[in-house]
Structure formats: structure tokens, C-alpha cells
Amino acid sequence: MNVLADYFGVLKNVNFTKLWISQICSQLTNFILSFAILIKAFRLTDSSLSVSIILVSFGLATVFFGAFAGVYADRFDRKWILTIINFAQAGTVGLYLVFENNFWALALITFLYSAFNQFYLPAEAPSIPDLVPKHQLLVANSYFSLTANGSMLVGFALAGPLVAM
């Protein structure tokens, strides 16, 4: 059995590859935006309290929406949920570009992006078994795990230089 062939074999599945690319874009944007907002909030206010407020904004979205977002992911078409959330998250990034110098807008943007993410995540991972055959499930899940962890490293590394521009 050729492990490399198994990994390339999963990528030949166009629907899985679309989902994986969506995950890469979403996760990278999430980590870049999160860190950029933290940096920007501190620069705007020169206060660690403002950074805490941003982190609380992130957490509040999880508290308010995390518990029932998975129910919606199970009740509605996951592909449509993912598509709508991707556009909503892109709009949130647009809001950041417009209001990046307003601390309270940054807190709201953080809350919105995190709220959208609460609906994205439970629709994303459960889609994998619907897209790949059972014998490719382990490899497909490893792509998602790699992306989840790798995008955190890359996203945080890219945020600093992007904010400095």
C-alpha cells in the first residue's frame, strides 16, 4: 500500500478538495483576523484591558451560539450553510478593513466572525463522511487536522506583518 497514493487519491475527489480548500481559507482568515484584531486593539488603546474585551467578544459568541449551531448544521443543507457562512465571514473581513481604527467596531467584528464560525465548524467536519468513501476517511480527516493546526501557525505568523503594512 502506497501512503502517498492514498493522500493524492483523496484529493482527486473534487467535492472533498473544495471542502478542504474552503477550510484552509476559512481557518487562515480566522487566525489572521483574530490576531490582527488583537494587535490593532492594543495599538489603538495601549491597554491590555482592550485585548481582554476582544477575547471576551470571541468567547461570548461561542457561549451564545455554540450550543445550538450544531442543530442547524444537522437540520439544513451543510453545503448551503458553508457557502452562506463563507460569504458572511468575507463580509466581516470587509468590515474590518473599513472600521479597523475603531476599537468597539473591532469588538463587534470579533463577535460576528466568531458567531459565524460557530455555525461553520459543525457543518464542516461532519460533511467529510458524505464526501469520501469509508476507506479514505482516515486520510481525509488527517487533511482537516493538519489544516486546523497548520493554519493557526501560519495565520498567526502572517497577521503581524499584515498589520504592520
Side-chain angles (χ1 to χ4, degrees):
M1 179 190 323
N2 187 352
V3 174
L4 197 56
D6 291 341
Y7 276 86
F8 285 124
V10 170
L11 292 179
K12 289 179 184 178
N13 180 328
V14 176
N15 289 325
F16 171 79
T17 302
K18 287 180 191 177
L19 181 66
W20 186 52
I21 290 169
S22 172
Q23 183 208 21
I24 292 169
C25 294
S26 179
Q27 292 289 321
L28 268 176
T29 303
N30 181 27
F31 290 115
I32 290 171
L33 185 66
S34 297
F35 197 52
I37 286 176
L38 290 172
I39 293 168
K40 198 69 161 166
F42 186 77
R43 285 186 181 168
L44 286 172
T45 63
D46 201 25
S47 165
S48 59
L49 178 62
S50 66
V51 173
S52 297
I53 291 170
I54 296 297
L55 291 172
V56 167
S57 297
F58 178 81
L60 283 176
T62 304
V63 169
F64 289 140
F65 299 107
F68 65 87
V71 173
Y72 285 97
D74 288 338
R75 288 188 178 214
F76 298 105
D77 182 28
R78 289 186 186 117
K79 184 176 179 178
W80 280 106
I81 291 172
L82 294 171
T83 302
I84 290 166
I85 296 299
N86 276 329
F87 282 110
Q89 288 176 326
T92 308
V93 172
L95 288 173
Y96 169 78
L97 296 174
V98 172
F99 296 107
E100 67 179 318
N101 292 316
N102 180 320
F103 170 74
W104 292 108
L106 293 178
L108 179 61
I109 289 164
T110 301
F111 179 82
L112 284 173
Y113 197 92
S114 180
F116 293 139
N117 212 34
Q118 296 308 307
F119 290 90
Y120 183 86
L121 295 174
E124 178 190 50
S127 299
I128 298 171
D130 296 335
L131 299 176
V132 298
K134 190 173 183 172
H135 70 277
Q136 290 182 328
L137 200 52
L138 180 64
V139 172
N141 284 328
S142 70
Y143 272 112
F144 269 69
S145 180
L146 171 70
T147 303
N149 294 307
S151 62
M152 184 185 329
L153 293 173
V154 173
F156 286 166
L158 289 175
L162 287 174
V163 171
M165 296 172 102

